[in-house]
Amino acid sequence: MTNVRFARGVLSGLLLAGISALSVASCGTPESAPVEEATDSGDGDSASATPEALYHTSLTFVGFGAEPALLHMRLENRTEPGRLRMDYRGWIPGAGTWTPVLAVQDSIPVPRAAWRVVPAGPLSLSVEEGGQLSSLKLALEGGGVRLDAMDEVSTWSGSTGQRESLRIADLQAAGRVESGWLLRRRRARLLSEASGERILQAFVLSDTLGNGLLILRDRAFPDAPATVWAWIDGVRLDWSDAVLVDLPGTAGPPGSWSFEVPDAGMFGEISGAAPMLDELPPTDPGFRLYRATASIGFGEQRRTMSGIGFEERGP
């Protein structure tokens, strides 16, 4: 009965908030014209037809465990005359640090679909129709890592026009299998264009009941609105006008934030926590990765969630 009352309250708040459809506006104005995604159909010399560009894919997994399994991967393809150069990296949290599980730099002749992640080093993968990633494996000493993407929950257009998504997924690592949320973000840039200066921020959070919260903010200016997706007791909600504010008094990164969905009765606080991986310079492309915890509320209801927060500039 409590869950029913809570769901009704959520839906009532949703009507007040005026739910908006997912769109490119959810992640801010594109920094540049999108680089078109190639397909595997057609003939011709793909190397000569492919523009010199950088294609970036990030995968962020947050499990439903009490101490959730976490994985973050950053996969970049750079096309140059006749070659595709890969820079693939990935981490899981260890004892006080982020432990690398993937660090590959390699190159191959340019394939037809230069935006696609390709097998490299210990990385193997399977794709669905259309080239979307369905399964990823890392062959590692002492036990591998496997990530299986399943039901798609939401999809939208990212800051440079590329398709992004949130899915249910299973992560197998360290002898256990855990279900959770998988966020896939993608960006693309022609190498003839300057790298963007804005910072994109994301939080992927969950609890042991399978509830989830995803917050995306384009920090083009201090009071830029954030987009929030919430899955509470089986009810899916989304807003594009949430307020995410840096809390004062934080001594350096990763930071703490308060957030609110106006007129919907949703609010909370998020705190970044150790371990942190900081490769975000004052200028130029880079990223910052950290654990995150959150306390959220809907009216009298309170939820505690945990997961991953990250900030990134570029590519």
Side-chain angles (χ1 to χ4, degrees):
M1 185 65 69
T2 299
N3 288 347
V4 172
R5 287 199 301 268
F6 181 68
R8 288 174 178 168
V10 170
L11 291 173
S12 180
L14 172 62
L15 292 175
L16 291 173
I19 186 170
S20 62
L22 300 180
S23 67
V24 68
S26 68
C27 296
T29 304
E31 297 171 352
S32 60
V35 179
E36 294 296 329
E37 293 181 355
T39 66
D40 283 336
S41 60
D43 298 320
D45 184 354
S46 61
S48 61
T50 303
E52 295 184 38
L54 191 150
Y55 303 89
H56 176 92
T57 299
S58 70
L59 301 172
T60 306
F61 176 88
V62 174
F64 295 144
E67 184 74 17
L70 305 176
L71 172 69
H72 184 71
M73 303 187 71
R74 306 181 67 81
L75 311 166
E76 289 191 353
N77 288 351
R78 181 187 297 266
T79 54
E80 299 176 355
R83 303 297 292 177
L84 176 72
R85 300 193 181 278
M86 297 100 67
D87 185 0
Y88 292 175
R89 305 172 69 191
W91 304 265
I92 58 174
T97 186
W98 287 89
T99 301
V101 292
L102 178 65
V104 171
Q105 291 184 322
D106 202 352
S107 69
I108 59 173
V110 178
R112 280 199 178 101
W115 58 271
R116 285 190 181 181
V117 178
V118 297
L123 172 67
S124 61
L125 48 88
S126 301
V127 296
E128 303 169 345
E129 183 178 354
Q132 305 305 321
L133 181 70
S134 62
S135 180
L136 177 153
K137 299 178 184 178
L138 296 173
L140 306 174
E141 293 184 6
V145 173
R146 174 171 178 149
L147 181 64
D148 292 306
M150 294 180 290
D151 296 341
E152 188 174 85
V153 179
S154 290
T155 182
W156 60 91
S157 181
S159 60
T160 58
Q162 312 300 300
R163 184 187 180 198
E164 301 184 341
S165 64
L166 188 76
R167 303 178 69 165
I168 296 293
D170 284 345
L171 178 67
Q172 180 177 337
R176 74 177 193 183
V177 179
E178 188 170 318
S179 297
W181 300 109
L182 174 63
L183 170 65
R184 187 191 68 163
R185 302 202 68 186
R186 301 182 61 221
R187 296 188 305 284
R189 174 176 63 87
L190 294 171
L191 294 182
S192 59
E193 299 176 345
S195 175
E197 290 300 317
R198 65 215 297 170
I199 293 179
L200 302 178
Q201 187 174 31
F203 296 99
V204 188
L205 304 160
S206 70
D207 65 15
T208 57
L209 301 177
N211 298 306
L213 187 69
L214 169 60
I215 301 177
L216 299 181
R217 177 170 66 152
D218 179 347
R219 303 185 66 173
F221 47 92
D223 56 349
T227 299
V228 174
W229 291 261
W231 291 264
I232 308 292
D233 296 335
V235 179
R236 173 187 148 180
L237 308 167
D238 56 89
W239 302 269
S240 61
D241 59 349
V243 178
L244 182 67
V245 179
D246 295 33
L247 290 176
T250 302
S256 296
W257 304 265
S258 67
F259 74 91
E260 180 183 3
V261 180
D263 302 322
M266 183 179 183
F267 58 93
E269 289 192 3
I270 304 172
S271 295
M276 183 177 72
L277 180 61
D278 195 346
E279 297 186 10
L280 185 63
T283 60
D284 299 326
F287 72 100
R288 180 181 296 130
L289 174 67
Y290 43 86
R291 284 184 178 270
T293 58
S295 174
I296 68 170
F298 258 117
E300 297 181 355
Q301 297 286 334
R302 297 291 185 274
R303 305 281 172 136
T304 299
M305 296 186 178
S306 58
I308 286 179
F310 64 95
E311 302 160 35
E312 54 193 358
R313 182 191 295 112

